[in-house]
Amino acid sequence: MKFFDEALITVQSGDGGRGCVSFRREKFIPRGGPDGGDGGRGGDVILKSTSQRRTLYPFRFKREFRAKNGSHGRGRQKTGKNGEDLIIEIPPGTLIKDAGTNALLKDFTQPDDAFVIAKGGRGGQGNHRFKSSTHRAPRFAQPGEPGQFLKLKLELKLIADVGLIGLPNVGKSTLLGAISSATPKIADYPFTTLTPNLGVVHTERGEPFVVADIPGLIEGAHNGAGLGIRFLRHIERTHILVHLIDISAVDTQNPLAGYETINGELAGYSPKLAEKPQILVLNKMDLPGAKQAAKTLKAKFKGREVISISALTRKGVDKMISKIVDRLDRFHGNEQ
Ligand SMILES: Nc1nc2c(ncn2[C@@H]2O[C@H](COP(=O)(O)OP(=O)(O)OP(=O)(O)O)[C@@H](O)[C@H]2O)c(=O)[nH]1
Ligand SMILES: [Mg+2]
């Protein structure tokens, strides 16, 4: 199954209606003046972010979007009808780029934001507008302005505050399920998670925050190994990363190997992502031998704070949430 986080579409705003050339014809008024009405405005193409949408999946089936043209002007100074706008709904977190140049046109970081991506053409003026003392019977009118045609690339980057990273099978999805109402698939084999999951964590203090669980990373992911690193884009916008380590899978000969693999893959994807603050969390502390292994590992981290939890029994999980909230608070404090 593919997670639809990219799409190529074309949009076309409506053409303005033509202005009309017409002269009044009424009984007893032999030479009526010009009365051609203006053309209507072409419809705009509007992009709108809405929380109802979570992926770019609908764009798999529909890729061409056209707003309606304005109607032509008519006699008796009747203005043509404006073309209807076309509203395209997208999930929050979508970036809109010019498909040719890759230039960023709009970044939808919030829901319920609307943006006119292609403006409809103006309607042409009818001949009654061109009447003057020297030109009483203009036999011309303006054509409508054509609409705009654009090729767009839509790119979804989920909006989450916290990203869960780690090797496959370390318990990322179990943890997401334990702290939010999300119900990701959990199983005792690598690559259970194939697409990102989001969960909202409600805390006793402060705002709820959003956690993204992404597929596990393995060595060489940035060169395409395993599921690759394409899902890392969904944690690019997070403030902090929770680096989850399965204590029962730590190599006692080389305890930091897995941790370093993950950081190497992050760096291979983007230095900016590698520099994000990480909270280190040891999971599966309920398993036998975990305490001893944790001791060995902690010694390697040389005093760096490490939180021990069991996502399964929830032991230590509240403490971890509290640390996350502290970090997020600090982050928001720094931002101002
Ligand atoms: N004993 C124990 N088992 C756990 C704990 N957390 C997760 N597991 C088990 O570890 C296995 C993998 O858990 P997942 O949550 O699917 O791991 P993941 O990191 O999301 O894995 P991928 O999606 O494949 O990367 C499952 O069998 C879980 O039940 C824990 O704290 N203790
Ligand atoms: Mg998973």
Side-chain angles (χ1 to χ4, degrees):
M1 189 179 68
K2 194 171 165 341
F3 180 70
F4 290 90
D5 52 7
E6 272 179 6
L8 282 172
I9 64 167
T10 62
V11 298
Q12 163 89 62
S13 56
D15 299 338
R18 202 183 324 117
C20 169
V21 177
S22 155
F23 295 90
R24 240 176 329 156
R25 275 174 223 288
E26 280 172 58
K27 265 187 185 170
F28 314 118
I29 308 178
R31 294 195 346 188
D35 72 350
D38 301 339
R41 181 181 67 77
D44 297 338
V45 178
I46 299 169
L47 293 165
K48 182 170 182 289
S49 57
T50 161
S51 312
Q52 318 289 70
R53 295 245 183 283
R54 295 209 153 263
T55 74
L56 299 174
Y57 185 71
F59 299 105
R60 208 187 150 195
F61 308 104
K62 182 160 169 59
R63 299 203 181 93
E64 288 167 16
F65 295 87
R66 236 199 121 101
K68 291 269 192 306
N69 292 338
S71 306
H72 301 314
R74 282 177 295 148
R76 296 176 189 242
Q77 293 197 24
K78 281 202 185 116
T79 303
K81 228 172 74 173
N82 289 339
E84 210 179 309
D85 294 338
L86 181 77
I87 297 175
I88 307 174
E89 293 191 330
I90 50 165
T94 306
L95 287 90
I96 313 298
K97 293 182 173 173
D98 180 308
T101 64
N102 229 24
L104 181 65
L105 305 176
K106 169 79 182 166
D107 182 1
F108 284 92
T109 56
Q110 302 287 330
D112 303 316
D113 186 9
F115 181 74
V116 177
I117 192 77
K119 203 152 177 42
R122 261 183 301 111
Q125 295 188 326
N127 71 337
H128 84 276
R129 302 258 190 199
F130 299 102
K131 187 173 79 172
S132 68
S133 54
T134 53
H135 210 152
R136 291 174 166 219
R139 299 194 166 276
F140 56 87
Q142 252 181 353
E145 191 185 43
Q148 290 174 290
F149 176 79
L150 294 171
K151 288 187 180 173
L152 303 175
K153 186 168 152 200
L154 274 49
E155 237 178 74
L156 176 62
K157 290 188 183 184
L158 296 180
I159 299 172
D161 304 293
V162 178
L164 281 179
I165 52 167
L167 293 168
N169 217 39
V170 297
K172 299 179 295 299
S173 302
T174 308
L175 181 58
L176 183 75
I179 61 179
S180 74
S181 58
T183 51
K185 190 172 166 196
I186 294 163
D188 193 14
Y189 55 80
F191 306 121
T192 312
T193 301
L194 299 175
T195 65
N197 300 302
L198 289 185
V200 182
V201 182
H202 294 274
T203 63
E204 292 190 353
R205 58 195 171 102
E207 292 271 302
F209 60 89
V210 178
V211 176
D213 162 35
I214 59 166
L217 294 170
I218 57 169
E219 175 131 35
H222 73 278
N223 292 321
L227 294 176
I229 49 168
R230 59 180 294 264
F231 294 110
L232 285 179
R233 78 151 69 132
H234 297 295
I235 55 167
E236 268 182 72
R237 302 202 206 222
T238 59
H239 302 313
I240 50 176
L241 301 175
V242 167
H243 192 147
L244 203 59
I245 297 170
D246 176 351
I247 197 63
S248 70
V250 164
D251 174 359
T252 44
Q253 297 303 307
N254 188 3
L256 291 183
Y259 167 78
E260 282 164 357
T261 296
I262 295 295
N263 286 338
E265 295 308 321
L266 295 186
Y269 176 78
S270 118
K272 220 175 129 201
L273 193 59
E275 278 165 21
K276 272 195 202 291
Q278 290 187 5
I279 296 181
L280 295 178
V281 178
L282 307 184
N283 188 30
K284 309 197 188 180
M285 287 301 293
D286 57 288
L287 290 175
K291 284 218 168 74
Q292 189 54 43
K295 223 169 159 186
T296 316
L297 190 58
K298 279 181 182 168
K300 291 282 177 192
F301 279 121
K302 296 193 182 109
R304 207 177 138 188
E305 188 177 20
V306 180
I307 304 171
S308 300
I309 66 161
S310 164
L312 203 64
T313 67
R314 277 199 115 256
K315 193 163 176 211
V317 168
D318 287 334
K319 189 175 157 212
M320 180 201 72
I321 291 177
S322 174
K323 288 279 173 213
I324 293 173
V325 174
D326 285 347
R327 291 303 287 262
L328 288 175
D329 281 352
R330 237 189 295 164
F331 186 88
H332 291 303
N334 288 344
E335 218 175 24
Q336 280 151 18

